[in-house]
Amino acid sequence: MVKLKKKLHQIKHFVLFITVFGFFIGCSSPYSVQRIEGKQLEVQQEKNISQELEDYISYYRKALTKEMDSVLAFNPISLDKSKGQWQTNIGDFLADISFEAGAKILKDKTGKNLSFCILNHGGIRSVIAKGNVTTRNAFEVMPFENNLIIVELKGEDVAELASYFVTEKKPHPLSGLTLVLNSDTKIEKILVQGNELEWDQKYYVATSDYLSNGGDNMLFFKKATQTIETDYKIRNIIIDYFKKNDTLQFSNALRVILK
């Protein structure tokens, strides 16, 4: 039975081939092939092509290297995400400059005030060493294409954010938000711009588009009641800050207070 089915299958394909072949043979055409000509085309040596390509790329490589390594500012202290339990100096720095950039955009677009900024600890991929800083440093610290985004959260969602922060025990960069913890690391107070959190109030929060979509399990951002695009890459925020400031400035404000 199996052999018979296989044979019938082969016959079907053969009949189909003959039908199609016959159709094209039966079609008349006013054209016919008179002659076939060939011509040899000279091709450059591979070595010459490679050298020309290398020379072409080399120009742009040098221009890019010059742009990446041009000194933009001076960093008086080493910024490192590995030093600090609840907050790090590089995390504070990135959150502060992102808050500043987001606050201006939000004010210009809506007239509203930004409440605070939170980024993710894992998104910081390098240190900013003491000394001259360049565009390359910004790419090393933030190699991703993440944009800054502003979301509107209810007070209860901000409380969930604070609980997430304490449970994670990671120094996620914060600016504008202060958590007061007791000796058992339980939250006693949540302060936004120095004022206690109000559950029925709306807050504008700057973060990355990655986190706003629930990245790093920050699912509370999925509850946002409004989203405002900035079209401003966080890496470009860093570069622009370098360009505007001869020397990097830092805030020593505590983001997490242990009692």
Side-chain angles (χ1 to χ4, degrees):
M1 180 62 72
V2 174
K3 290 183 178 180
L4 180 59
K5 287 183 177 180
K6 185 176 181 181
K7 195 71 174 177
L8 289 172
H9 186 68
Q10 291 174 342
I11 291 172
K12 285 180 180 179
H13 279 78
F14 178 73
V15 171
L16 179 62
F17 171 76
I18 291 298
T19 302
V20 174
F21 181 74
F23 172 78
F24 283 106
I25 290 297
C27 291
S28 60
S29 172
Y31 304 104
S32 61
V33 178
Q34 299 297 319
R35 66 179 182 275
I36 299 175
E37 293 182 345
K39 183 178 180 181
Q40 184 174 359
L41 299 176
E42 184 178 353
V43 180
Q44 286 182 287
Q45 292 294 323
E46 182 180 345
K47 182 173 66 175
N48 293 337
I49 295 175
S50 298
Q51 186 57 52
E52 288 181 11
L53 183 60
E54 174 59 31
D55 292 342
Y56 180 77
I57 294 173
S58 178
Y59 170 80
Y60 292 99
R61 183 189 294 119
K62 290 176 181 177
L64 179 60
T65 299
K66 181 179 180 181
E67 176 70 21
M68 293 287 282
D69 293 335
S70 296
V71 175
L72 302 178
F74 178 78
N75 178 26
I77 61 173
S78 178
L79 300 179
D80 190 340
K81 79 170 191 175
S82 67
K83 298 177 181 179
Q85 180 183 2
W86 292 104
Q87 60 188 92
T88 66
N89 58 8
I90 192 170
D92 294 347
F93 170 72
L94 294 177
D96 286 345
I97 65 174
S98 295
F99 178 93
E100 182 182 355
K104 184 179 185 310
I105 293 171
L106 181 65
K107 195 71 172 179
D108 291 343
K109 283 192 171 187
T110 69
K112 303 290 186 180
N113 294 320
L114 187 65
S115 304
F116 64 92
C117 174
I118 180 171
L119 302 175
N120 61 320
H121 178 69
I124 305 171
R125 291 308 176 100
S126 182
V127 303
I128 302 179
K130 179 179 178 179
N132 292 332
V133 292
T134 64
T135 300
R136 188 182 300 278
N137 292 132
F139 274 84
E140 291 169 346
V141 170
M142 192 65 61
F144 311 108
E145 298 299 308
N146 295 129
N147 282 338
L148 189 73
I149 198 165
I150 298 169
V151 298
E152 184 184 64
L153 293 179
K154 292 182 290 186
E156 60 187 272
D157 300 325
V158 175
E160 186 180 340
L161 181 157
S163 178
Y164 166 91
F165 183 95
V166 174
T167 302
E168 279 277 293
K169 291 184 171 60
K170 291 180 181 178
H172 295 301
L174 292 176
S175 181
L177 182 70
T178 305
L179 306 179
V180 181
L181 311 180
N182 63 23
S183 57
D184 295 324
T185 66
K186 303 296 183 182
I187 298 174
E188 283 195 358
K189 287 183 182 179
I190 301 172
L191 305 175
V192 179
Q193 296 298 324
N195 300 311
E196 286 202 43
L197 180 72
E198 297 180 29
W199 283 54
D200 59 348
Q201 187 172 324
K202 298 290 181 66
Y203 295 90
Y204 289 97
V205 184
T207 188
S208 71
D209 52 3
Y210 166 70
L211 296 181
S212 73
N213 289 318
D216 275 9
N217 284 320
M218 295 194 186
L219 302 179
F220 40 82
F221 279 127
K222 293 282 192 176
K223 302 175 183 179
T225 53
Q226 185 181 3
T227 298
I228 300 168
E229 303 284 349
T230 69
D231 298 318
Y232 202 176
K233 293 189 188 307
I234 296 176
R235 181 176 59 240
N236 290 344
I237 291 175
I238 302 171
I239 293 171
D240 289 344
Y241 178 89
F242 288 168
K243 289 179 177 179
K244 293 175 184 175
N245 297 272
D246 293 333
T247 304
L248 275 56
Q249 304 293 321
F250 314 103
S251 169
N252 294 321
L254 291 176
R255 327 298 160 111
V256 179
I257 300 173
L258 294 174
K259 295 183 69 177

